[in-house]
PDB file of all heavy atoms in Angstrom:
ATOM      1  N   ILE A   1     144.932-158.045 -30.034  1.00  0.00           N
ATOM      2  CA  ILE A   1     144.679-156.689 -30.619  1.00  0.00           C
ATOM      3  C   ILE A   1     143.694-156.119 -29.634  1.00  0.00           C
ATOM      4  O   ILE A   1     142.599-156.376 -29.456  1.00  0.00           O
ATOM      5  CB  ILE A   1     143.920-156.945 -31.999  1.00  0.00           C
ATOM      6  CG1 ILE A   1     144.738-157.963 -32.893  1.00  0.00           C
ATOM      7  CG2 ILE A   1     143.789-155.611 -32.590  1.00  0.00           C
ATOM      8  CD1 ILE A   1     143.997-158.336 -34.183  1.00  0.00           C
ATOM      9  N   ALA A   2     144.245-155.073 -29.058  1.00  0.00           N
ATOM     10  CA  ALA A   2     143.539-154.302 -27.920  1.00  0.00           C
ATOM     11  C   ALA A   2     142.762-153.321 -28.503  1.00  0.00           C
ATOM     12  O   ALA A   2     141.608-153.136 -27.920  1.00  0.00           O
ATOM     13  CB  ALA A   2     144.484-153.774 -26.948  1.00  0.00           C
ATOM     14  N   SER A   3     142.863-152.674 -29.482  1.00  0.00           N
ATOM     15  CA  SER A   3     142.043-151.501 -30.060  1.00  0.00           C
ATOM     16  C   SER A   3     140.911-152.114 -30.845  1.00  0.00           C
ATOM     17  O   SER A   3     141.174-153.083 -31.573  1.00  0.00           O
ATOM     18  CB  SER A   3     143.034-150.684 -30.892  1.00  0.00           C
ATOM     19  OG  SER A   3     142.246-149.640 -31.495  1.00  0.00           O
ATOM     20  N   ARG A   4     139.778-151.562 -30.709  1.00  0.00           N
ATOM     21  CA  ARG A   4     138.584-152.038 -31.224  1.00  0.00           C
ATOM     22  C   ARG A   4     138.617-152.071 -32.689  1.00  0.00           C
ATOM     23  O   ARG A   4     138.249-153.074 -33.395  1.00  0.00           O
ATOM     24  CB  ARG A   4     137.372-151.236 -30.679  1.00  0.00           C
ATOM     25  CG  ARG A   4     136.001-151.695 -31.247  1.00  0.00           C
ATOM     26  CD  ARG A   4     134.833-150.917 -30.641  1.00  0.00           C
ATOM     27  NE  ARG A   4     134.785-151.422 -29.212  1.00  0.00           N
ATOM     28  CZ  ARG A   4     134.080-152.325 -28.907  1.00  0.00           C
ATOM     29  NH1 ARG A   4     133.265-152.999 -29.838  1.00  0.00           N
ATOM     30  NH2 ARG A   4     133.850-152.624 -27.561  1.00  0.00           N
ATOM     31  N   PHE A   5     138.924-150.918 -33.346  1.00  0.00           N
ATOM     32  CA  PHE A   5     138.804-150.869 -34.838  1.00  0.00           C
ATOM     33  C   PHE A   5     139.668-151.875 -35.545  1.00  0.00           C
ATOM     34  O   PHE A   5     139.224-152.651 -36.338  1.00  0.00           O
ATOM     35  CB  PHE A   5     139.023-149.564 -35.313  1.00  0.00           C
ATOM     36  CG  PHE A   5     139.015-149.387 -36.803  1.00  0.00           C
ATOM     37  CD1 PHE A   5     137.763-149.513 -37.517  1.00  0.00           C
ATOM     38  CD2 PHE A   5     140.180-149.306 -37.594  1.00  0.00           C
ATOM     39  CE1 PHE A   5     137.743-149.383 -38.869  1.00  0.00           C
ATOM     40  CE2 PHE A   5     140.068-149.127 -38.980  1.00  0.00           C
ATOM     41  CZ  PHE A   5     139.096-149.234 -39.578  1.00  0.00           C
ATOM     42  N   PRO A   6     140.987-151.881 -35.231  1.00  0.00           N
ATOM     43  CA  PRO A   6     141.857-152.883 -35.816  1.00  0.00           C
ATOM     44  C   PRO A   6     141.389-154.354 -35.586  1.00  0.00           C
ATOM     45  O   PRO A   6     141.565-155.129 -36.459  1.00  0.00           O
ATOM     46  CB  PRO A   6     143.233-152.676 -35.201  1.00  0.00           C
ATOM     47  CG  PRO A   6     143.252-151.251 -34.756  1.00  0.00           C
ATOM     48  CD  PRO A   6     141.806-151.039 -34.345  1.00  0.00           C
ATOM     49  N   TYR A   7     140.871-154.534 -34.321  1.00  0.00           N
ATOM     50  CA  TYR A   7     140.420-155.886 -33.999  1.00  0.00           C
ATOM     51  C   TYR A   7     139.190-156.291 -34.975  1.00  0.00           C
ATOM     52  O   TYR A   7     139.218-157.350 -35.560  1.00  0.00           O
ATOM     53  CB  TYR A   7     139.967-155.949 -32.377  1.00  0.00           C
ATOM     54  CG  TYR A   7     138.934-157.013 -32.295  1.00  0.00           C
ATOM     55  CD1 TYR A   7     139.439-158.326 -32.159  1.00  0.00           C
ATOM     56  CD2 TYR A   7     137.634-156.803 -31.901  1.00  0.00           C
ATOM     57  CE1 TYR A   7     138.495-159.412 -31.886  1.00  0.00           C
ATOM     58  CE2 TYR A   7     136.749-157.856 -31.680  1.00  0.00           C
ATOM     59  CZ  TYR A   7     137.208-159.077 -31.664  1.00  0.00           C
ATOM     60  OH  TYR A   7     136.362-160.064 -31.424  1.00  0.00           O
ATOM     61  N   ILE A   8     138.212-155.415 -35.053  1.00  0.00           N
ATOM     62  CA  ILE A   8     137.081-155.700 -35.882  1.00  0.00           C
ATOM     63  C   ILE A   8     137.392-155.853 -37.307  1.00  0.00           C
ATOM     64  O   ILE A   8     137.122-156.850 -38.040  1.00  0.00           O
ATOM     65  CB  ILE A   8     136.048-154.556 -35.767  1.00  0.00           C
ATOM     66  CG1 ILE A   8     135.541-154.552 -34.338  1.00  0.00           C
ATOM     67  CG2 ILE A   8     134.931-154.846 -36.749  1.00  0.00           C
ATOM     68  CD1 ILE A   8     134.583-153.381 -34.071  1.00  0.00           C
ATOM     69  N   ALA A   9     138.358-154.904 -37.855  1.00  0.00           N
ATOM     70  CA  ALA A   9     138.774-154.995 -39.205  1.00  0.00           C
ATOM     71  C   ALA A   9     139.420-156.405 -39.454  1.00  0.00           C
ATOM     72  O   ALA A   9     139.223-157.051 -40.578  1.00  0.00           O
ATOM     73  CB  ALA A   9     139.723-153.852 -39.581  1.00  0.00           C
ATOM     74  N   PHE A  10     140.480-156.675 -38.538  1.00  0.00           N
ATOM     75  CA  PHE A  10     141.208-157.903 -38.840  1.00  0.00           C
ATOM     76  C   PHE A  10     140.287-159.177 -38.764  1.00  0.00           C
ATOM     77  O   PHE A  10     140.426-160.195 -39.503  1.00  0.00           O
ATOM     78  CB  PHE A  10     142.348-157.986 -37.788  1.00  0.00           C
ATOM     79  CG  PHE A  10     143.144-159.270 -37.965  1.00  0.00           C
ATOM     80  CD1 PHE A  10     144.242-159.299 -38.894  1.00  0.00           C
ATOM     81  CD2 PHE A  10     142.973-160.310 -37.214  1.00  0.00           C
ATOM     82  CE1 PHE A  10     145.091-160.478 -39.106  1.00  0.00           C
ATOM     83  CE2 PHE A  10     143.729-161.593 -37.387  1.00  0.00           C
ATOM     84  CZ  PHE A  10     144.777-161.495 -38.342  1.00  0.00           C
ATOM     85  N   SER A  11     139.431-159.194 -37.748  1.00  0.00           N
ATOM     86  CA  SER A  11     138.506-160.299 -37.537  1.00  0.00           C
ATOM     87  C   SER A  11     137.606-160.648 -38.821  1.00  0.00           C
ATOM     88  O   SER A  11     137.409-161.708 -39.100  1.00  0.00           O
ATOM     89  CB  SER A  11     137.637-160.146 -36.313  1.00  0.00           C
ATOM     90  OG  SER A  11     138.611-160.084 -35.156  1.00  0.00           O
ATOM     91  N   GLU A  12     137.009-159.553 -39.199  1.00  0.00           N
ATOM     92  CA  GLU A  12     135.996-159.636 -40.281  1.00  0.00           C
ATOM     93  C   GLU A  12     136.807-160.089 -41.610  1.00  0.00           C
ATOM     94  O   GLU A  12     136.315-160.925 -42.421  1.00  0.00           O
ATOM     95  CB  GLU A  12     135.307-158.436 -40.516  1.00  0.00           C
ATOM     96  CG  GLU A  12     134.230-158.178 -39.381  1.00  0.00           C
ATOM     97  CD  GLU A  12     133.232-159.275 -39.242  1.00  0.00           C
ATOM     98  OE1 GLU A  12     132.871-159.771 -40.265  1.00  0.00           O
ATOM     99  OE2 GLU A  12     132.845-159.444 -38.088  1.00  0.00           O
ATOM    100  N   CYS A  13     138.010-159.570 -41.791  1.00  0.00           N
ATOM    101  CA  CYS A  13     138.804-159.904 -42.972  1.00  0.00           C
ATOM    102  C   CYS A  13     139.143-161.345 -43.037  1.00  0.00           C
ATOM    103  O   CYS A  13     139.181-162.137 -43.898  1.00  0.00           O
ATOM    104  CB  CYS A  13     140.084-158.898 -43.192  1.00  0.00           C
ATOM    105  SG  CYS A  13     139.519-157.347 -43.638  1.00  0.00           S
ATOM    106  N   PHE A  14     139.554-161.732 -41.721  1.00  0.00           N
ATOM    107  CA  PHE A  14     139.893-163.247 -41.414  1.00  0.00           C
ATOM    108  C   PHE A  14     138.738-164.071 -41.755  1.00  0.00           C
ATOM    109  O   PHE A  14     138.839-165.101 -42.450  1.00  0.00           O
ATOM    110  CB  PHE A  14     140.278-163.313 -40.098  1.00  0.00           C
ATOM    111  CG  PHE A  14     140.449-164.780 -39.605  1.00  0.00           C
ATOM    112  CD1 PHE A  14     141.542-165.555 -39.862  1.00  0.00           C
ATOM    113  CD2 PHE A  14     139.365-165.337 -38.789  1.00  0.00           C
ATOM    114  CE1 PHE A  14     141.690-166.801 -39.384  1.00  0.00           C
ATOM    115  CE2 PHE A  14     139.527-166.590 -38.475  1.00  0.00           C
ATOM    116  CZ  PHE A  14     140.619-167.431 -38.668  1.00  0.00           C
ATOM    117  N   ALA A  15     137.595-163.686 -41.368  1.00  0.00           N
ATOM    118  CA  ALA A  15     136.349-164.495 -41.421  1.00  0.00           C
ATOM    119  C   ALA A  15     136.000-164.586 -43.049  1.00  0.00           C
ATOM    120  O   ALA A  15     135.715-165.766 -43.486  1.00  0.00           O
ATOM    121  CB  ALA A  15     135.231-163.873 -40.656  1.00  0.00           C
ATOM    122  N   ILE A  16     136.200-163.507 -43.629  1.00  0.00           N
ATOM    123  CA  ILE A  16     135.757-163.503 -45.157  1.00  0.00           C
ATOM    124  C   ILE A  16     136.686-164.388 -45.931  1.00  0.00           C
ATOM    125  O   ILE A  16     136.215-165.163 -46.742  1.00  0.00           O
ATOM    126  CB  ILE A  16     135.836-161.992 -45.671  1.00  0.00           C
ATOM    127  CG1 ILE A  16     134.581-161.261 -45.177  1.00  0.00           C
ATOM    128  CG2 ILE A  16     135.783-162.040 -47.131  1.00  0.00           C
ATOM    129  CD1 ILE A  16     134.601-159.767 -45.411  1.00  0.00           C
ATOM    130  N   ILE A  17     138.029-164.213 -45.652  1.00  0.00           N
ATOM    131  CA  ILE A  17     139.083-165.070 -46.314  1.00  0.00           C
ATOM    132  C   ILE A  17     138.858-166.542 -46.083  1.00  0.00           C
ATOM    133  O   ILE A  17     138.896-167.378 -47.035  1.00  0.00           O
ATOM    134  CB  ILE A  17     140.390-164.491 -46.057  1.00  0.00           C
ATOM    135  CG1 ILE A  17     140.633-163.067 -46.653  1.00  0.00           C
ATOM    136  CG2 ILE A  17     141.450-165.513 -46.769  1.00  0.00           C
ATOM    137  CD1 ILE A  17     141.880-162.488 -46.179  1.00  0.00           C
ATOM    138  N   ILE A  18     138.799-166.966 -44.784  1.00  0.00           N
ATOM    139  CA  ILE A  18     138.837-168.230 -44.422  1.00  0.00           C
ATOM    140  C   ILE A  18     137.405-168.975 -44.985  1.00  0.00           C
ATOM    141  O   ILE A  18     137.480-170.047 -45.549  1.00  0.00           O
ATOM    142  CB  ILE A  18     138.943-168.435 -42.824  1.00  0.00           C
ATOM    143  CG1 ILE A  18     140.220-168.024 -42.333  1.00  0.00           C
ATOM    144  CG2 ILE A  18     138.602-169.922 -42.523  1.00  0.00           C
ATOM    145  CD1 ILE A  18     141.415-168.741 -42.962  1.00  0.00           C
ATOM    146  N   GLU A  19     136.345-168.170 -44.768  1.00  0.00           N
ATOM    147  CA  GLU A  19     135.099-168.877 -45.231  1.00  0.00           C
ATOM    148  C   GLU A  19     135.035-168.918 -46.714  1.00  0.00           C
ATOM    149  O   GLU A  19     134.463-169.926 -47.369  1.00  0.00           O
ATOM    150  CB  GLU A  19     133.973-167.995 -44.665  1.00  0.00           C
ATOM    151  CG  GLU A  19     133.728-168.131 -43.195  1.00  0.00           C
ATOM    152  CD  GLU A  19     132.690-167.348 -42.614  1.00  0.00           C
ATOM    153  OE1 GLU A  19     131.752-166.835 -43.369  1.00  0.00           O
ATOM    154  OE2 GLU A  19     132.662-167.049 -41.343  1.00  0.00           O
ATOM    155  N   SER A  20     135.719-167.967 -47.447  1.00  0.00           N
ATOM    156  CA  SER A  20     135.761-168.094 -48.950  1.00  0.00           C
ATOM    157  C   SER A  20     136.472-169.369 -49.315  1.00  0.00           C
ATOM    158  O   SER A  20     136.058-170.047 -50.343  1.00  0.00           O
ATOM    159  CB  SER A  20     136.358-166.862 -49.476  1.00  0.00           C
ATOM    160  OG  SER A  20     137.728-166.759 -49.247  1.00  0.00           O
ATOM    161  N   VAL A  21     137.418-169.545 -48.608  1.00  0.00           N
ATOM    162  CA  VAL A  21     138.264-170.815 -48.999  1.00  0.00           C
ATOM    163  C   VAL A  21     137.509-172.101 -48.825  1.00  0.00           C
ATOM    164  O   VAL A  21     137.463-172.971 -49.550  1.00  0.00           O
ATOM    165  CB  VAL A  21     139.616-170.888 -48.160  1.00  0.00           C
ATOM    166  CG1 VAL A  21     140.368-172.209 -48.364  1.00  0.00           C
ATOM    167  CG2 VAL A  21     140.517-169.667 -48.608  1.00  0.00           C
ATOM    168  N   ILE A  22     136.809-172.140 -47.666  1.00  0.00           N
ATOM    169  CA  ILE A  22     135.903-173.231 -47.264  1.00  0.00           C
ATOM    170  C   ILE A  22     134.854-173.486 -48.326  1.00  0.00           C
ATOM    171  O   ILE A  22     134.513-174.522 -48.769  1.00  0.00           O
ATOM    172  CB  ILE A  22     135.383-173.120 -45.835  1.00  0.00           C
ATOM    173  CG1 ILE A  22     136.492-173.207 -44.822  1.00  0.00           C
ATOM    174  CG2 ILE A  22     134.407-174.260 -45.594  1.00  0.00           C
ATOM    175  CD1 ILE A  22     136.098-172.815 -43.479  1.00  0.00           C
ATOM    176  N   ILE A  23     134.079-172.310 -48.670  1.00  0.00           N
ATOM    177  CA  ILE A  23     133.085-172.380 -49.725  1.00  0.00           C
ATOM    178  C   ILE A  23     133.713-172.945 -51.026  1.00  0.00           C
ATOM    179  O   ILE A  23     133.000-173.751 -51.725  1.00  0.00           O
ATOM    180  CB  ILE A  23     132.448-171.093 -49.947  1.00  0.00           C
ATOM    181  CG1 ILE A  23     131.707-170.626 -48.618  1.00  0.00           C
ATOM    182  CG2 ILE A  23     131.507-171.012 -51.086  1.00  0.00           C
ATOM    183  CD1 ILE A  23     131.167-169.225 -48.528  1.00  0.00           C
ATOM    184  N   TYR A  24     134.846-172.377 -51.412  1.00  0.00           N
ATOM    185  CA  TYR A  24     135.534-172.805 -52.647  1.00  0.00           C
ATOM    186  C   TYR A  24     135.875-174.254 -52.635  1.00  0.00           C
ATOM    187  O   TYR A  24     135.526-174.995 -53.712  1.00  0.00           O
ATOM    188  CB  TYR A  24     136.902-172.026 -52.760  1.00  0.00           C
ATOM    189  CG  TYR A  24     137.772-172.461 -53.872  1.00  0.00           C
ATOM    190  CD1 TYR A  24     137.380-172.216 -55.180  1.00  0.00           C
ATOM    191  CD2 TYR A  24     139.073-172.998 -53.590  1.00  0.00           C
ATOM    192  CE1 TYR A  24     138.147-172.635 -56.259  1.00  0.00           C
ATOM    193  CE2 TYR A  24     139.831-173.371 -54.517  1.00  0.00           C
ATOM    194  CZ  TYR A  24     139.551-173.177 -55.857  1.00  0.00           C
ATOM    195  OH  TYR A  24     140.387-173.654 -56.877  1.00  0.00           O
ATOM    196  N   LYS A  25     136.330-174.755 -51.503  1.00  0.00           N
ATOM    197  CA  LYS A  25     136.623-176.243 -51.505  1.00  0.00           C
ATOM    198  C   LYS A  25     135.508-177.222 -51.307  1.00  0.00           C
ATOM    199  O   LYS A  25     135.439-178.245 -52.041  1.00  0.00           O
ATOM    200  CB  LYS A  25     137.502-176.494 -50.251  1.00  0.00           C
ATOM    201  CG  LYS A  25     139.000-175.907 -50.337  1.00  0.00           C
ATOM    202  CD  LYS A  25     139.797-176.496 -51.461  1.00  0.00           C
ATOM    203  CE  LYS A  25     141.228-175.922 -51.446  1.00  0.00           C
ATOM    204  NZ  LYS A  25     142.087-176.568 -52.574  1.00  0.00           N
ATOM    205  N   LEU A  26     134.556-176.797 -50.498  1.00  0.00           N
ATOM    206  CA  LEU A  26     133.288-177.608 -50.349  1.00  0.00           C
ATOM    207  C   LEU A  26     132.283-177.619 -51.401  1.00  0.00           C
ATOM    208  O   LEU A  26     131.806-178.712 -51.821  1.00  0.00           O
ATOM    209  CB  LEU A  26     132.701-177.320 -49.003  1.00  0.00           C
ATOM    210  CG  LEU A  26     133.410-177.615 -47.679  1.00  0.00           C
ATOM    211  CD1 LEU A  26     132.618-177.293 -46.489  1.00  0.00           C
ATOM    212  CD2 LEU A  26     133.823-179.079 -47.631  1.00  0.00           C
ATOM    213  N   LEU A  27     132.085-176.427 -51.867  1.00  0.00           N
ATOM    214  CA  LEU A  27     131.031-176.356 -52.943  1.00  0.00           C
ATOM    215  C   LEU A  27     131.621-176.454 -54.425  1.00  0.00           C
ATOM    216  O   LEU A  27     130.825-176.508 -55.379  1.00  0.00           O
ATOM    217  CB  LEU A  27     130.209-174.977 -52.739  1.00  0.00           C
ATOM    218  CG  LEU A  27     129.564-174.820 -51.502  1.00  0.00           C
ATOM    219  CD1 LEU A  27     128.722-173.548 -51.506  1.00  0.00           C
ATOM    220  CD2 LEU A  27     128.735-175.949 -51.157  1.00  0.00           C
ATOM    221  N   LYS A  28     132.882-176.452 -54.474  1.00  0.00           N
ATOM    222  CA  LYS A  28     133.600-176.542 -55.783  1.00  0.00           C
ATOM    223  C   LYS A  28     133.194-175.574 -56.915  1.00  0.00           C
ATOM    224  O   LYS A  28     132.710-175.907 -57.974  1.00  0.00           O
ATOM    225  CB  LYS A  28     133.490-178.026 -56.282  1.00  0.00           C
ATOM    226  CG  LYS A  28     134.063-179.028 -55.419  1.00  0.00           C
ATOM    227  CD  LYS A  28     133.992-180.493 -55.914  1.00  0.00           C
ATOM    228  CE  LYS A  28     134.484-181.492 -55.100  1.00  0.00           C
ATOM    229  NZ  LYS A  28     135.740-181.115 -54.267  1.00  0.00           N
ATOM    230  N   VAL A  29     133.057-174.346 -56.387  1.00  0.00           N
ATOM    231  CA  VAL A  29     132.789-173.234 -57.237  1.00  0.00           C
ATOM    232  C   VAL A  29     134.082-172.402 -57.526  1.00  0.00           C
ATOM    233  O   VAL A  29     135.052-172.575 -56.763  1.00  0.00           O
ATOM    234  CB  VAL A  29     131.614-172.268 -56.676  1.00  0.00           C
ATOM    235  CG1 VAL A  29     130.470-172.995 -56.460  1.00  0.00           C
ATOM    236  CG2 VAL A  29     132.192-171.776 -55.370  1.00  0.00           C
ATOM    237  N   ASP A  30     134.128-171.538 -58.634  1.00  0.00           N
ATOM    238  CA  ASP A  30     135.220-170.753 -58.789  1.00  0.00           C
ATOM    239  C   ASP A  30     135.414-169.770 -57.678  1.00  0.00           C
ATOM    240  O   ASP A  30     134.566-169.314 -56.953  1.00  0.00           O
ATOM    241  CB  ASP A  30     135.161-170.012 -60.121  1.00  0.00           C
ATOM    242  CG  ASP A  30     134.112-169.034 -60.267  1.00  0.00           C
ATOM    243  OD1 ASP A  30     134.252-167.876 -59.631  1.00  0.00           O
ATOM    244  OD2 ASP A  30     133.188-169.318 -60.687  1.00  0.00           O
ATOM    245  N   TYR A  31     136.720-169.364 -57.390  1.00  0.00           N
ATOM    246  CA  TYR A  31     137.029-168.603 -56.199  1.00  0.00           C
ATOM    247  C   TYR A  31     136.377-167.212 -56.155  1.00  0.00           C
ATOM    248  O   TYR A  31     135.991-166.706 -55.086  1.00  0.00           O
ATOM    249  CB  TYR A  31     138.617-168.306 -56.065  1.00  0.00           C
ATOM    250  CG  TYR A  31     138.830-167.794 -54.731  1.00  0.00           C
ATOM    251  CD1 TYR A  31     138.694-168.489 -53.520  1.00  0.00           C
ATOM    252  CD2 TYR A  31     139.395-166.435 -54.673  1.00  0.00           C
ATOM    253  CE1 TYR A  31     139.014-167.937 -52.413  1.00  0.00           C
ATOM    254  CE2 TYR A  31     139.646-165.871 -53.373  1.00  0.00           C
ATOM    255  CZ  TYR A  31     139.343-166.576 -52.235  1.00  0.00           C
ATOM    256  OH  TYR A  31     139.646-165.959 -51.103  1.00  0.00           O
ATOM    257  N   LYS A  32     136.076-166.645 -57.275  1.00  0.00           N
ATOM    258  CA  LYS A  32     135.412-165.267 -57.284  1.00  0.00           C
ATOM    259  C   LYS A  32     134.045-165.416 -56.758  1.00  0.00           C
ATOM    260  O   LYS A  32     133.680-164.598 -55.948  1.00  0.00           O
ATOM    261  CB  LYS A  32     135.447-164.800 -58.658  1.00  0.00           C
ATOM    262  CG  LYS A  32     136.726-164.202 -59.207  1.00  0.00           C
ATOM    263  CD  LYS A  32     136.614-163.449 -60.551  1.00  0.00           C
ATOM    264  CE  LYS A  32     137.922-162.940 -60.984  1.00  0.00           C
ATOM    265  NZ  LYS A  32     137.800-162.433 -62.364  1.00  0.00           N
ATOM    266  N   LYS A  33     133.285-166.428 -57.147  1.00  0.00           N
ATOM    267  CA  LYS A  33     131.927-166.699 -56.610  1.00  0.00           C
ATOM    268  C   LYS A  33     132.098-166.997 -55.154  1.00  0.00           C
ATOM    269  O   LYS A  33     131.344-166.531 -54.284  1.00  0.00           O
ATOM    270  CB  LYS A  33     131.301-167.852 -57.298  1.00  0.00           C
ATOM    271  CG  LYS A  33     130.760-167.548 -58.655  1.00  0.00           C
ATOM    272  CD  LYS A  33     129.945-168.730 -59.226  1.00  0.00           C
ATOM    273  CE  LYS A  33     129.326-168.338 -60.570  1.00  0.00           C
ATOM    274  NZ  LYS A  33     130.394-168.323 -61.534  1.00  0.00           N
ATOM    275  N   ALA A  34     133.035-167.837 -54.584  1.00  0.00           N
ATOM    276  CA  ALA A  34     133.133-168.093 -53.272  1.00  0.00           C
ATOM    277  C   ALA A  34     133.503-166.995 -52.432  1.00  0.00           C
ATOM    278  O   ALA A  34     133.036-166.694 -51.320  1.00  0.00           O
ATOM    279  CB  ALA A  34     134.302-169.140 -53.160  1.00  0.00           C
ATOM    280  N   LEU A  35     134.398-166.060 -52.903  1.00  0.00           N
ATOM    281  CA  LEU A  35     134.816-164.792 -52.147  1.00  0.00           C
ATOM    282  C   LEU A  35     133.512-163.828 -52.125  1.00  0.00           C
ATOM    283  O   LEU A  35     133.293-163.371 -51.013  1.00  0.00           O
ATOM    284  CB  LEU A  35     135.900-164.116 -52.854  1.00  0.00           C
ATOM    285  CG  LEU A  35     136.362-162.751 -52.242  1.00  0.00           C
ATOM    286  CD1 LEU A  35     136.816-163.041 -50.743  1.00  0.00           C
ATOM    287  CD2 LEU A  35     137.468-162.183 -53.034  1.00  0.00           C
ATOM    288  N   LEU A  36     132.746-163.700 -53.088  1.00  0.00           N
ATOM    289  CA  LEU A  36     131.667-162.834 -53.198  1.00  0.00           C
ATOM    290  C   LEU A  36     130.587-163.409 -52.185  1.00  0.00           C
ATOM    291  O   LEU A  36     129.961-162.681 -51.467  1.00  0.00           O
ATOM    292  CB  LEU A  36     131.056-162.654 -54.565  1.00  0.00           C
ATOM    293  CG  LEU A  36     129.692-161.807 -54.684  1.00  0.00           C
ATOM    294  CD1 LEU A  36     129.952-160.378 -54.142  1.00  0.00           C
ATOM    295  CD2 LEU A  36     129.247-161.850 -56.117  1.00  0.00           C
ATOM    296  N   THR A  37     130.441-164.741 -52.166  1.00  0.00           N
ATOM    297  CA  THR A  37     129.497-165.321 -51.358  1.00  0.00           C
ATOM    298  C   THR A  37     129.887-165.170 -49.862  1.00  0.00           C
ATOM    299  O   THR A  37     128.978-164.704 -49.015  1.00  0.00           O
ATOM    300  CB  THR A  37     129.328-166.873 -51.486  1.00  0.00           C
ATOM    301  OG1 THR A  37     128.866-167.053 -52.922  1.00  0.00           O
ATOM    302  CG2 THR A  37     128.466-167.551 -50.592  1.00  0.00           C
ATOM    303  N   SER A  38     131.146-165.279 -49.499  1.00  0.00           N
ATOM    304  CA  SER A  38     131.619-165.124 -48.249  1.00  0.00           C
ATOM    305  C   SER A  38     131.416-163.541 -47.809  1.00  0.00           C
ATOM    306  O   SER A  38     131.046-163.335 -46.688  1.00  0.00           O
ATOM    307  CB  SER A  38     133.034-165.412 -48.066  1.00  0.00           C
ATOM    308  OG  SER A  38     133.597-165.112 -46.843  1.00  0.00           O
TER     309      SER A  38
END
């Protein structure tokens, strides 16, 4: 992704989604809490 804005947007969305799944699995909380925390 060469363009700055799409790169930042995609990267941050990727981080939020992946980290929410990790929080959901490791801390065993419901997914809404995990997503908000992420």
Side-chain angles (χ1 to χ4, degrees):
I1 310 173
S3 179
R4 177 175 289 271
F5 177 74
Y7 159 73
I8 294 172
F10 182 84
S11 297
E12 292 299 327
C13 289
F14 167 82
I16 288 171
I17 293 171
I18 296 300
E19 292 180 16
S20 68
V21 172
I22 293 172
I23 293 169
Y24 170 70
K25 292 292 186 181
L26 291 182
L27 301 185
K28 301 188 185 305
V29 297
D30 65 79
Y31 187 71
K32 286 185 178 179
K33 284 189 176 68
L35 181 60
L36 180 61
T37 300
S38 179

